[in-house]
Amino acid sequence: MTANRLIQLLAKKKSGELSLPELKELRELLAQHPEDALLASLVDDLFRQRLDYENGYAVPEVDALLQRLHRKQTAQEALPERGSKLFRLNRMVVAAACLLLLVGAGLYLFYISGNRSLKQNVVATKKGSKSYILLPDGTQVWLNAESRVAYKDDYGKKNREISLTGEAYFDVIKDKERPFIIHTETIDVKVLGTTFNVRAYKNDGHTETTLIRGSVEISMRKDPARKFLLKPFEKISIDNSGALQNKGTADKEAGFLYALKKIKPVADSSGAAETQWVQNRLVFDKQRLDDIARELSRWFDVEIFITDNKLRNTEYSGAVEEAASLGQVLESLKLTGAFHYAIRNKTVTISP
Amino acid sequence: MTTEEIKALTELIAERNDHSAFDQLFRHYLPGLVSFANSVINDRHQSEEVVSDVFVKIWENRKTLTAIRNFSHYIYIATRHQALNYIKSRKGTGFEELGESGSLSFKTPEKSMIAKENLQKIAGAINELPSRCRLIFRLIKEEGLKYQDVATLLGLSIKTVENQMTIAMKRIVEILEESLPEYAMYYAQKKVQK
């Protein structure tokens, strides 16, 4: 009679769920009993054998089903996309309005109070629009929706400092003499020459920095001694409420303040999910619906209401290209979990 | 098919609109998904319709495929939704617990220490397991799902999934043990030959 613990460990092993201490335990158990070791190798053998259905599908049957599927697909593709034309028109109007605003914002120079009264350049985007900025030193900035970048007139002369709210993707020209510094409400990001993304929306709970190439150093505005160095394809996410508190309390809760994680590069592109917006793609990878809704609201310039608390915290995945309508995005998200939605003018209601 | 092969196929579909990759995926998933949907619908023909509707949607949303972490998990969840929607549209008739409706057998073994009749015995024992337990076993062994994935798919706790997998393993081990002396001899002879 084989011990229950051994069976439990074997089940875990064959499910790929064995932890390191459990692996050790299993090895010790097997070393003690040669019979069990034989049994374990039989289990390995058995798991190599593939299972099939007794009354499975014969090839012609599958072929017939495939033909039916292809007919369904053609029928589906022939359907006209209702509503999307109107939606695109709306987006064009929004884009035109944003362009006007952008030009206005770009031209709008104002004096800031301080020791040196230097002119400040501001570029801002509205909901539903994006922008591209070429800074005087050749550094490129892609500005996402509802975001703002400001830099002084002496940018590039002595220093390279800018301030950011919202989200931007940077490709920074190398200049060892003048490090490139981004100020957000919560953090400062210092770089030499690199490509990375900073996400610092005021209404998000976190400030995120994702590094693609090079290296960056992040320090907390309220506690400049607290520094983090990022390696390529790492993302640091800092809790805004914690980071904005006084130094003393922040120290106590340091464990909850930030999260550092590896991100996965997106196949066939040089970026990651975090930077897909630069290529006009929207990518969600197991994100809470609440966060997705906030992103969609910026992207499409709509208000989104979620009627159910549980739904708000449910995670969804999906990705869409630039031309996708809001309806298409919601349809693709629905594939990973059911919900209902209604789009009326600029208001979307999502319910279970 | 391995997870890597499936990933490669989904990438071909997402990035190159590859129809033959799509067909391959359909051939691979059809029997398992139909058996799964059938545990809810209890109508093989309708279950086939449900699965093909899922694939129509997969094709429509093919651009999203590269963002999916585990395609097997994803397509089983999509099938669960499609099947439950079908039941709802029928005003809730025929709902059963999510499980495995078909009987399983082992494909002709290529190279195995385990005798053919023992493989049959084990398949028989797996088929006698409750349908949910059998499904959990197949999803983990054949589709490579993790405990967590199975738990979210079936609305169970991870602990329950682990327990069910252990129950299946226990049955398998019991049958293997019956002929353990024979295998020990086989093993000893092999060692001598070496």
Side-chain angles (χ1 to χ4, degrees), chain B residues 117-181:
Chain B
E117 55 267 28
N118 273 338
L119 279 178
Q120 277 171 4
K121 235 194 227 174
I122 292 167
I126 292 168
N127 287 328
E128 277 168 24
L129 294 169
S131 82
R132 194 178 69 179
C133 181
R134 193 158 78 235
L135 175 68
I136 291 171
F137 177 75
R138 185 178 66 81
L139 288 176
I140 291 169
K141 183 185 173 302
E142 295 298 313
E143 309 282 15
L145 261 58
K146 309 301 284 179
Y147 286 174
Q148 173 71 64
D149 296 334
V150 179
T152 49
L153 174 67
L154 302 179
L156 304 169
S157 71
I158 295 181
K159 196 73 209 157
T160 307
V161 174
E162 188 190 341
N163 288 343
Q164 294 294 311
M165 187 64 192
T166 309
I167 288 171
M169 182 63 85
K170 195 174 160 69
R171 283 298 293 135
I172 290 167
V173 165
E174 278 167 6
I175 295 168
L176 287 174
E177 268 186 324
E178 286 170 15
S179 346
L180 210 51

Side-chain angles (χ1 to χ4, degrees), chain A residues 31-138:
Chain A
Q32 284 162 16
H33 306 282
E35 282 218 330
D36 288 347
L38 175 59
L39 195 63
S41 65
L42 285 171
V43 169
D44 284 341
D45 187 323
L46 182 81
F47 269 72
R48 275 195 296 273
Q49 309 299 325
R50 305 258 57 112
L51 279 168
D52 209 348
Y53 286 93
E54 246 166 31
N55 304 308
Y57 284 90
V59 176
E61 230 180 324
V62 181
D63 287 343
L65 283 169
L66 249 179
Q67 273 182 17
R68 273 179 64 90
L69 172 62
H70 292 160
R71 277 201 299 276
K72 257 191 197 176
Q73 277 176 286
T74 356
Q76 203 74 26
E77 273 166 9
L79 285 177
E81 277 182 47
R82 267 186 299 152
S84 65
K85 209 172 181 181
L86 185 72
F87 193 83
R88 250 170 233 154
L89 187 70
N90 271 344
R91 282 192 76 187
M92 271 179 70
V93 172
V94 170
C98 287
L99 193 68
L100 275 175
L101 177 104
L102 201 72
V103 172
L107 290 173
Y108 182 56
L109 311 167
F110 61 91
Y111 291 89
I112 53 148
S113 56
N115 306 336
R116 297 168 295 162
S117 7
L118 275 167
K119 281 176 190 167
Q120 180 147 306
N121 303 290
V122 180
V123 182
T125 52
K126 276 187 78 174
K127 276 187 175 185
S129 79
K130 286 190 220 87
S131 183
Y132 168 80
I133 309 152
L134 186 62
L135 292 170
D137 64 333

